[in-house]
mmCIF file of all heavy atoms in Angstrom:
data_model
loop_
_atom_site.group_PDB
_atom_site.id
_atom_site.type_symbol
_atom_site.label_atom_id
_atom_site.label_comp_id
_atom_site.label_asym_id
_atom_site.label_seq_id
_atom_site.Cartn_x
_atom_site.Cartn_y
_atom_site.Cartn_z
ATOM 1 N N LEU A 135 -3.102 4.072 4.138
ATOM 2 C CA LEU A 135 -2.578 4.574 2.875
ATOM 3 C C LEU A 135 -1.578 5.669 3.200
ATOM 4 O O LEU A 135 -1.899 6.606 3.931
ATOM 5 C CB LEU A 135 -3.695 5.153 2.009
ATOM 6 C CG LEU A 135 -4.856 4.225 1.655
ATOM 7 C CD1 LEU A 135 -5.899 4.964 0.831
ATOM 8 C CD2 LEU A 135 -4.356 3.001 0.899
ATOM 9 N N VAL A 136 -0.375 5.548 2.660
ATOM 10 C CA VAL A 136 0.675 6.515 2.955
ATOM 11 C C VAL A 136 1.228 7.067 1.643
ATOM 12 O O VAL A 136 1.772 6.309 0.826
ATOM 13 C CB VAL A 136 1.811 5.884 3.778
ATOM 14 C CG1 VAL A 136 2.902 6.921 4.044
ATOM 15 C CG2 VAL A 136 1.274 5.345 5.095
ATOM 16 N N GLU A 137 1.074 8.369 1.467
ATOM 17 C CA GLU A 137 1.578 9.023 0.266
ATOM 18 C C GLU A 137 3.011 9.496 0.475
ATOM 19 O O GLU A 137 3.425 9.818 1.590
ATOM 20 C CB GLU A 137 0.729 10.250 -0.110
ATOM 21 C CG GLU A 137 -0.730 9.972 -0.322
ATOM 22 C CD GLU A 137 -1.564 10.206 0.922
ATOM 23 O OE1 GLU A 137 -0.988 10.154 2.040
ATOM 24 O OE2 GLU A 137 -2.783 10.433 0.786
ATOM 25 N N SER A 138 3.754 9.556 -0.620
ATOM 26 C CA SER A 138 5.111 10.097 -0.592
ATOM 27 C C SER A 138 5.436 10.666 -1.966
ATOM 28 O O SER A 138 4.720 10.408 -2.937
ATOM 29 C CB SER A 138 6.126 9.021 -0.211
ATOM 30 O OG SER A 138 6.119 7.976 -1.164
ATOM 31 N N GLY A 139 6.521 11.434 -2.016
ATOM 32 C CA GLY A 139 6.985 11.954 -3.295
ATOM 33 C C GLY A 139 6.660 13.405 -3.554
ATOM 34 O O GLY A 139 7.078 13.965 -4.567
ATOM 35 N N GLY A 140 5.925 14.028 -2.649
ATOM 36 C CA GLY A 140 5.617 15.433 -2.839
ATOM 37 C C GLY A 140 6.850 16.294 -2.610
ATOM 38 O O GLY A 140 7.896 15.821 -2.175
ATOM 39 N N GLY A 141 6.728 17.569 -2.926
ATOM 40 C CA GLY A 141 7.847 18.474 -2.728
ATOM 41 C C GLY A 141 7.660 19.755 -3.494
ATOM 42 O O GLY A 141 6.563 20.075 -3.960
ATOM 43 N N LEU A 142 8.757 20.488 -3.615
ATOM 44 C CA LEU A 142 8.772 21.762 -4.320
ATOM 45 C C LEU A 142 9.406 21.565 -5.691
ATOM 46 O O LEU A 142 10.488 20.979 -5.803
ATOM 47 C CB LEU A 142 9.578 22.786 -3.518
ATOM 48 C CG LEU A 142 9.801 24.159 -4.152
ATOM 49 C CD1 LEU A 142 8.480 24.883 -4.324
ATOM 50 C CD2 LEU A 142 10.760 24.975 -3.288
ATOM 51 N N VAL A 143 8.737 22.047 -6.726
ATOM 52 C CA VAL A 143 9.235 21.890 -8.082
ATOM 53 C C VAL A 143 8.901 23.145 -8.869
ATOM 54 O O VAL A 143 7.900 23.815 -8.592
ATOM 55 C CB VAL A 143 8.608 20.636 -8.740
ATOM 56 C CG1 VAL A 143 7.115 20.778 -8.881
ATOM 57 C CG2 VAL A 143 9.269 20.325 -10.074
ATOM 58 N N GLN A 144 9.737 23.462 -9.843
ATOM 59 C CA GLN A 144 9.463 24.620 -10.693
ATOM 60 C C GLN A 144 8.411 24.278 -11.735
ATOM 61 O O GLN A 144 8.258 23.111 -12.134
ATOM 62 C CB GLN A 144 10.755 25.067 -11.386
ATOM 63 C CG GLN A 144 11.701 25.821 -10.475
ATOM 64 C CD GLN A 144 12.800 26.522 -11.242
ATOM 65 O OE1 GLN A 144 13.292 25.996 -12.247
ATOM 66 N NE2 GLN A 144 13.207 27.681 -10.779
ATOM 67 N N ALA A 145 7.712 25.286 -12.169
ATOM 68 C CA ALA A 145 6.723 25.103 -13.221
ATOM 69 C C ALA A 145 7.386 24.465 -14.441
ATOM 70 O O ALA A 145 8.501 24.835 -14.817
ATOM 71 C CB ALA A 145 6.101 26.435 -13.593
ATOM 72 N N GLY A 146 6.683 23.497 -15.007
ATOM 73 C CA GLY A 146 7.229 22.760 -16.136
ATOM 74 C C GLY A 146 7.947 21.488 -15.737
ATOM 75 O O GLY A 146 8.262 20.647 -16.589
ATOM 76 N N GLY A 147 8.205 21.342 -14.451
ATOM 77 C CA GLY A 147 8.908 20.167 -13.955
ATOM 78 C C GLY A 147 7.986 18.985 -13.713
ATOM 79 O O GLY A 147 6.799 19.017 -14.049
ATOM 80 N N SER A 148 8.570 17.944 -13.116
ATOM 81 C CA SER A 148 7.835 16.698 -12.894
ATOM 82 C C SER A 148 7.999 16.230 -11.453
ATOM 83 O O SER A 148 9.012 16.520 -10.805
ATOM 84 C CB SER A 148 8.358 15.596 -13.824
ATOM 85 O OG SER A 148 8.157 15.936 -15.181
ATOM 86 N N LEU A 149 6.998 15.511 -10.989
ATOM 87 C CA LEU A 149 7.056 14.826 -9.704
ATOM 88 C C LEU A 149 6.354 13.490 -9.850
ATOM 89 O O LEU A 149 5.438 13.346 -10.675
ATOM 90 C CB LEU A 149 6.370 15.628 -8.594
ATOM 91 C CG LEU A 149 7.143 16.760 -7.925
ATOM 92 C CD1 LEU A 149 6.244 17.472 -6.923
ATOM 93 C CD2 LEU A 149 8.403 16.257 -7.248
ATOM 94 N N ARG A 150 6.762 12.543 -9.027
ATOM 95 C CA ARG A 150 6.157 11.207 -9.033
ATOM 96 C C ARG A 150 5.672 10.911 -7.625
ATOM 97 O O ARG A 150 6.489 10.759 -6.706
ATOM 98 C CB ARG A 150 7.185 10.176 -9.481
ATOM 99 C CG ARG A 150 6.693 8.757 -9.588
ATOM 100 C CD ARG A 150 7.841 7.889 -10.047
ATOM 101 N NE ARG A 150 7.568 6.476 -10.035
ATOM 102 C CZ ARG A 150 7.098 5.787 -11.073
ATOM 103 N NH1 ARG A 150 6.844 6.407 -12.198
ATOM 104 N NH2 ARG A 150 6.896 4.499 -10.977
ATOM 105 N N LEU A 151 4.367 10.839 -7.468
ATOM 106 C CA LEU A 151 3.790 10.528 -6.170
ATOM 107 C C LEU A 151 3.553 9.028 -6.060
ATOM 108 O O LEU A 151 3.168 8.377 -7.035
ATOM 109 C CB LEU A 151 2.466 11.259 -5.971
ATOM 110 C CG LEU A 151 2.484 12.787 -6.093
ATOM 111 C CD1 LEU A 151 1.096 13.343 -5.756
ATOM 112 C CD2 LEU A 151 3.544 13.402 -5.213
ATOM 113 N N SER A 152 3.760 8.510 -4.856
ATOM 114 C CA SER A 152 3.482 7.113 -4.581
ATOM 115 C C SER A 152 2.512 7.006 -3.421
ATOM 116 O O SER A 152 2.501 7.856 -2.531
ATOM 117 C CB SER A 152 4.775 6.369 -4.211
ATOM 118 O OG SER A 152 5.667 6.345 -5.286
ATOM 119 N N CYS A 153 1.723 5.956 -3.444
ATOM 120 C CA CYS A 153 0.809 5.661 -2.347
ATOM 121 C C CYS A 153 0.963 4.185 -2.024
ATOM 122 O O CYS A 153 0.737 3.328 -2.879
ATOM 123 C CB CYS A 153 -0.627 5.962 -2.749
ATOM 124 S SG CYS A 153 -1.864 5.447 -1.533
ATOM 125 N N ALA A 154 1.382 3.923 -0.800
ATOM 126 C CA ALA A 154 1.560 2.552 -0.354
ATOM 127 C C ALA A 154 0.404 2.166 0.550
ATOM 128 O O ALA A 154 0.137 2.838 1.555
ATOM 129 C CB ALA A 154 2.886 2.408 0.387
ATOM 130 N N ALA A 155 -0.268 1.100 0.188
ATOM 131 C CA ALA A 155 -1.401 0.617 0.974
ATOM 132 C C ALA A 155 -0.973 -0.586 1.803
ATOM 133 O O ALA A 155 -0.259 -1.464 1.312
ATOM 134 C CB ALA A 155 -2.539 0.228 0.046
ATOM 135 N N SER A 156 -1.397 -0.604 3.035
ATOM 136 C CA SER A 156 -1.054 -1.733 3.909
ATOM 137 C C SER A 156 -2.260 -2.108 4.750
ATOM 138 O O SER A 156 -3.185 -1.333 4.914
ATOM 139 C CB SER A 156 0.126 -1.371 4.808
ATOM 140 O OG SER A 156 -0.212 -0.296 5.655
ATOM 141 N N GLY A 157 -2.200 -3.284 5.277
ATOM 142 C CA GLY A 157 -3.311 -3.799 6.057
ATOM 143 C C GLY A 157 -3.395 -5.282 5.790
ATOM 144 O O GLY A 157 -3.208 -5.715 4.657
ATOM 145 N N ARG A 158 -3.686 -6.017 6.778
ATOM 146 C CA ARG A 158 -3.602 -7.470 6.670
ATOM 147 C C ARG A 158 -4.456 -8.014 5.537
ATOM 148 O O ARG A 158 -4.079 -8.950 4.847
ATOM 149 C CB ARG A 158 -4.010 -8.107 7.997
ATOM 150 C CG ARG A 158 -3.760 -9.598 8.058
ATOM 151 C CD ARG A 158 -4.055 -10.136 9.426
ATOM 152 N NE ARG A 158 -5.432 -9.915 9.802
ATOM 153 C CZ ARG A 158 -5.938 -10.284 10.975
ATOM 154 N NH1 ARG A 158 -5.161 -10.856 11.873
ATOM 155 N NH2 ARG A 158 -7.201 -10.072 11.267
ATOM 156 N N THR A 159 -5.617 -7.417 5.327
ATOM 157 C CA THR A 159 -6.514 -7.959 4.310
ATOM 158 C C THR A 159 -6.824 -6.942 3.226
ATOM 159 O O THR A 159 -7.883 -6.979 2.606
ATOM 160 C CB THR A 159 -7.842 -8.409 4.959
ATOM 161 O OG1 THR A 159 -8.436 -7.273 5.604
ATOM 162 C CG2 THR A 159 -7.611 -9.517 5.951
ATOM 163 N N PHE A 160 -5.845 -6.043 2.968
ATOM 164 C CA PHE A 160 -6.140 -4.984 2.011
ATOM 165 C C PHE A 160 -6.348 -5.528 0.616
ATOM 166 O O PHE A 160 -5.554 -6.279 0.086
ATOM 167 C CB PHE A 160 -5.017 -3.946 1.968
ATOM 168 C CG PHE A 160 -5.270 -2.870 0.955
ATOM 169 C CD1 PHE A 160 -6.157 -1.845 1.224
ATOM 170 C CD2 PHE A 160 -4.658 -2.895 -0.292
ATOM 171 C CE1 PHE A 160 -6.421 -0.855 0.290
ATOM 172 C CE2 PHE A 160 -4.903 -1.914 -1.235
ATOM 173 C CZ PHE A 160 -5.792 -0.895 -0.936
ATOM 174 N N SER A 161 -7.459 -5.113 0.038
ATOM 175 C CA SER A 161 -7.773 -5.424 -1.346
ATOM 176 C C SER A 161 -8.734 -4.348 -1.824
ATOM 177 O O SER A 161 -9.721 -4.068 -1.158
ATOM 178 C CB SER A 161 -8.426 -6.805 -1.455
ATOM 179 O OG SER A 161 -8.782 -7.061 -2.804
ATOM 180 N N SER A 162 -8.440 -3.737 -2.942
ATOM 181 C CA SER A 162 -9.287 -2.650 -3.412
ATOM 182 C C SER A 162 -9.804 -2.930 -4.804
ATOM 183 O O SER A 162 -9.203 -3.682 -5.573
ATOM 184 C CB SER A 162 -8.518 -1.324 -3.391
ATOM 185 O OG SER A 162 -7.492 -1.337 -4.361
ATOM 186 N N TYR A 163 -10.919 -2.327 -5.132
ATOM 187 C CA TYR A 163 -11.478 -2.408 -6.479
ATOM 188 C C TYR A 163 -10.961 -1.282 -7.359
ATOM 189 O O TYR A 163 -10.961 -1.388 -8.574
ATOM 190 C CB TYR A 163 -12.999 -2.375 -6.408
ATOM 191 C CG TYR A 163 -13.572 -3.575 -5.711
ATOM 192 C CD1 TYR A 163 -14.048 -3.476 -4.410
ATOM 193 C CD2 TYR A 163 -13.623 -4.811 -6.337
ATOM 194 C CE1 TYR A 163 -14.559 -4.588 -3.747
ATOM 195 C CE2 TYR A 163 -14.140 -5.925 -5.691
ATOM 196 C CZ TYR A 163 -14.602 -5.806 -4.397
ATOM 197 O OH TYR A 163 -15.100 -6.900 -3.752
ATOM 198 N N GLY A 164 -10.546 -0.230 -6.716
ATOM 199 C CA GLY A 164 -10.010 0.898 -7.455
ATOM 200 C C GLY A 164 -9.346 1.868 -6.506
ATOM 201 O O GLY A 164 -9.537 1.788 -5.277
ATOM 202 N N MET A 165 -8.547 2.742 -7.047
ATOM 203 C CA MET A 165 -7.882 3.757 -6.248
ATOM 204 C C MET A 165 -7.866 5.075 -7.006
ATOM 205 O O MET A 165 -8.051 5.099 -8.227
ATOM 206 C CB MET A 165 -6.461 3.325 -5.882
ATOM 207 C CG MET A 165 -6.419 2.095 -4.996
ATOM 208 S SD MET A 165 -4.756 1.642 -4.453
ATOM 209 C CE MET A 165 -4.450 2.909 -3.225
ATOM 210 N N GLY A 166 -7.636 6.120 -6.273
ATOM 211 C CA GLY A 166 -7.653 7.424 -6.927
ATOM 212 C C GLY A 166 -6.784 8.433 -6.216
ATOM 213 O O GLY A 166 -6.305 8.195 -5.100
ATOM 214 N N TRP A 167 -6.562 9.531 -6.883
ATOM 215 C CA TRP A 167 -5.852 10.682 -6.339
ATOM 216 C C TRP A 167 -6.787 11.891 -6.352
ATOM 217 O O TRP A 167 -7.468 12.145 -7.363
ATOM 218 C CB TRP A 167 -4.614 11.004 -7.171
ATOM 219 C CG TRP A 167 -3.517 10.018 -7.054
ATOM 220 C CD1 TRP A 167 -3.253 8.976 -7.893
ATOM 221 C CD2 TRP A 167 -2.513 9.976 -6.033
ATOM 222 N NE1 TRP A 167 -2.143 8.288 -7.456
ATOM 223 C CE2 TRP A 167 -1.669 8.884 -6.323
ATOM 224 C CE3 TRP A 167 -2.222 10.760 -4.905
ATOM 225 C CZ2 TRP A 167 -0.572 8.550 -5.524
ATOM 226 C CZ3 TRP A 167 -1.128 10.423 -4.123
ATOM 227 C CH2 TRP A 167 -0.323 9.334 -4.432
ATOM 228 N N PHE A 168 -6.796 12.591 -5.259
ATOM 229 C CA PHE A 168 -7.522 13.848 -5.129
ATOM 230 C C PHE A 168 -6.522 14.910 -4.669
ATOM 231 O O PHE A 168 -5.428 14.581 -4.201
ATOM 232 C CB PHE A 168 -8.641 13.718 -4.092
ATOM 233 C CG PHE A 168 -9.814 12.906 -4.561
ATOM 234 C CD1 PHE A 168 -9.718 11.530 -4.708
ATOM 235 C CD2 PHE A 168 -11.031 13.518 -4.852
ATOM 236 C CE1 PHE A 168 -10.806 10.773 -5.140
ATOM 237 C CE2 PHE A 168 -12.124 12.778 -5.279
ATOM 238 C CZ PHE A 168 -12.000 11.405 -5.420
ATOM 239 N N ARG A 169 -6.908 16.165 -4.770
ATOM 240 C CA ARG A 169 -6.040 17.233 -4.263
ATOM 241 C C ARG A 169 -6.894 18.345 -3.678
ATOM 242 O O ARG A 169 -8.057 18.525 -4.049
ATOM 243 C CB ARG A 169 -5.134 17.775 -5.368
ATOM 244 C CG ARG A 169 -5.861 18.521 -6.491
ATOM 245 C CD ARG A 169 -4.885 18.877 -7.606
ATOM 246 N NE ARG A 169 -5.539 19.615 -8.680
ATOM 247 C CZ ARG A 169 -4.943 19.935 -9.819
ATOM 248 N NH1 ARG A 169 -3.680 19.577 -10.050
ATOM 249 N NH2 ARG A 169 -5.615 20.612 -10.745
ATOM 250 N N GLN A 170 -6.264 19.081 -2.776
ATOM 251 C CA GLN A 170 -6.951 20.190 -2.134
ATOM 252 C C GLN A 170 -6.002 21.369 -2.007
ATOM 253 O O GLN A 170 -4.972 21.271 -1.315
ATOM 254 C CB GLN A 170 -7.482 19.790 -0.766
ATOM 255 C CG GLN A 170 -8.366 20.831 -0.127
ATOM 256 C CD GLN A 170 -9.151 20.280 1.047
ATOM 257 O OE1 GLN A 170 -8.840 19.226 1.594
ATOM 258 N NE2 GLN A 170 -10.196 20.980 1.438
ATOM 259 N N ALA A 171 -6.344 22.448 -2.675
ATOM 260 C CA ALA A 171 -5.563 23.671 -2.596
ATOM 261 C C ALA A 171 -6.108 24.532 -1.456
ATOM 262 O O ALA A 171 -7.268 24.378 -1.057
ATOM 263 C CB ALA A 171 -5.639 24.425 -3.919
ATOM 264 N N PRO A 172 -5.303 25.443 -0.922
ATOM 265 C CA PRO A 172 -5.762 26.291 0.179
ATOM 266 C C PRO A 172 -7.038 27.042 -0.180
ATOM 267 O O PRO A 172 -7.132 27.653 -1.250
ATOM 268 C CB PRO A 172 -4.590 27.257 0.381
ATOM 269 C CG PRO A 172 -3.406 26.518 -0.114
ATOM 270 C CD PRO A 172 -3.890 25.695 -1.263
ATOM 271 N N GLY A 173 -8.018 26.949 0.689
ATOM 272 C CA GLY A 173 -9.264 27.666 0.485
ATOM 273 C C GLY A 173 -10.207 27.041 -0.525
ATOM 274 O O GLY A 173 -11.249 27.616 -0.839
ATOM 275 N N LYS A 174 -9.836 25.871 -1.030
ATOM 276 C CA LYS A 174 -10.682 25.212 -2.032
ATOM 277 C C LYS A 174 -11.119 23.843 -1.545
ATOM 278 O O LYS A 174 -10.530 23.274 -0.627
ATOM 279 C CB LYS A 174 -9.927 25.087 -3.356
ATOM 280 C CG LYS A 174 -9.611 26.414 -4.020
ATOM 281 C CD LYS A 174 -9.042 26.205 -5.405
ATOM 282 C CE LYS A 174 -8.797 27.528 -6.109
ATOM 283 N NZ LYS A 174 -8.270 27.324 -7.487
ATOM 284 N N GLU A 175 -12.138 23.315 -2.191
ATOM 285 C CA GLU A 175 -12.606 21.977 -1.855
ATOM 286 C C GLU A 175 -11.675 20.925 -2.458
ATOM 287 O O GLU A 175 -10.982 21.172 -3.441
ATOM 288 C CB GLU A 175 -14.031 21.779 -2.376
ATOM 289 C CG GLU A 175 -15.068 22.638 -1.693
ATOM 290 C CD GLU A 175 -16.478 22.304 -2.137
ATOM 291 O OE1 GLU A 175 -16.632 21.528 -3.091
ATOM 292 O OE2 GLU A 175 -17.422 22.844 -1.537
ATOM 293 N N ARG A 176 -11.705 19.754 -1.840
ATOM 294 C CA ARG A 176 -10.933 18.650 -2.382
ATOM 295 C C ARG A 176 -11.533 18.243 -3.730
ATOM 296 O O ARG A 176 -12.752 18.117 -3.867
ATOM 297 C CB ARG A 176 -10.954 17.481 -1.410
ATOM 298 C CG ARG A 176 -9.921 16.414 -1.712
ATOM 299 C CD ARG A 176 -9.841 15.379 -0.608
ATOM 300 N NE ARG A 176 -9.421 15.971 0.666
ATOM 301 C CZ ARG A 176 -9.097 15.259 1.742
ATOM 302 N NH1 ARG A 176 -9.142 13.927 1.691
ATOM 303 N NH2 ARG A 176 -8.748 15.857 2.848
ATOM 304 N N GLU A 177 -10.655 18.028 -4.710
ATOM 305 C CA GLU A 177 -11.140 17.706 -6.050
ATOM 306 C C GLU A 177 -10.471 16.453 -6.593
ATOM 307 O O GLU A 177 -9.330 16.133 -6.244
ATOM 308 C CB GLU A 177 -10.878 18.873 -7.009
ATOM 309 C CG GLU A 177 -9.420 19.187 -7.246
ATOM 310 C CD GLU A 177 -9.210 20.283 -8.284
ATOM 311 O OE1 GLU A 177 -10.208 20.840 -8.787
ATOM 312 O OE2 GLU A 177 -8.048 20.572 -8.602
ATOM 313 N N PHE A 178 -11.194 15.787 -7.460
ATOM 314 C CA PHE A 178 -10.697 14.578 -8.112
ATOM 315 C C PHE A 178 -9.584 14.932 -9.089
ATOM 316 O O PHE A 178 -9.672 15.925 -9.815
ATOM 317 C CB PHE A 178 -11.852 13.902 -8.847
ATOM 318 C CG PHE A 178 -11.442 12.750 -9.721
ATOM 319 C CD1 PHE A 178 -11.180 11.510 -9.169
ATOM 320 C CD2 PHE A 178 -11.325 12.906 -11.086
ATOM 321 C CE1 PHE A 178 -10.811 10.445 -9.969
ATOM 322 C CE2 PHE A 178 -10.960 11.856 -11.897
ATOM 323 C CZ PHE A 178 -10.703 10.619 -11.338
ATOM 324 N N VAL A 179 -8.546 14.099 -9.116
ATOM 325 C CA VAL A 179 -7.442 14.272 -10.046
ATOM 326 C C VAL A 179 -7.391 13.124 -11.053
ATOM 327 O O VAL A 179 -7.403 13.334 -12.257
ATOM 328 C CB VAL A 179 -6.095 14.365 -9.307
ATOM 329 C CG1 VAL A 179 -4.929 14.417 -10.294
ATOM 330 C CG2 VAL A 179 -6.072 15.563 -8.376
ATOM 331 N N ALA A 180 -7.337 11.907 -10.532
ATOM 332 C CA ALA A 180 -7.219 10.738 -11.401
ATOM 333 C C ALA A 180 -7.655 9.500 -10.634
ATOM 334 O O ALA A 180 -7.536 9.443 -9.418
ATOM 335 C CB ALA A 180 -5.784 10.563 -11.882
ATOM 336 N N GLY A 181 -8.162 8.512 -11.371
ATOM 337 C CA GLY A 181 -8.582 7.282 -10.730
ATOM 338 C C GLY A 181 -8.361 6.095 -11.649
ATOM 339 O O GLY A 181 -8.255 6.243 -12.868
#
């Protein structure tokens, strides 16, 4: 799984993240996004 689209943006702005999945037999039942801020645990964002 390879994420892209991150960067620096001003508050109020927008970003579009992409995740490309590869593998000869890749098939998933679901996918999700998590995030981890400095000093914090990884948390669920969306699925």
Side-chain angles (χ1 to χ4, degrees):
L135 302 178
V136 179
E137 303 94 337
S138 61
L142 175 64
V143 64
Q144 284 193 324
S148 298
L149 279 176
R150 182 180 173 92
L151 303 184
S152 296
C153 173
S156 62
R158 189 174 60 181
T159 59
F160 178 78
S161 177
S162 68
Y163 295 104
M165 296 184 74
W167 290 96
F168 287 72
R169 67 186 181 186
Q170 188 166 17
K174 295 188 177 181
E175 293 186 351
R176 194 172 298 190
E177 64 176 3
F178 172 79
V179 175

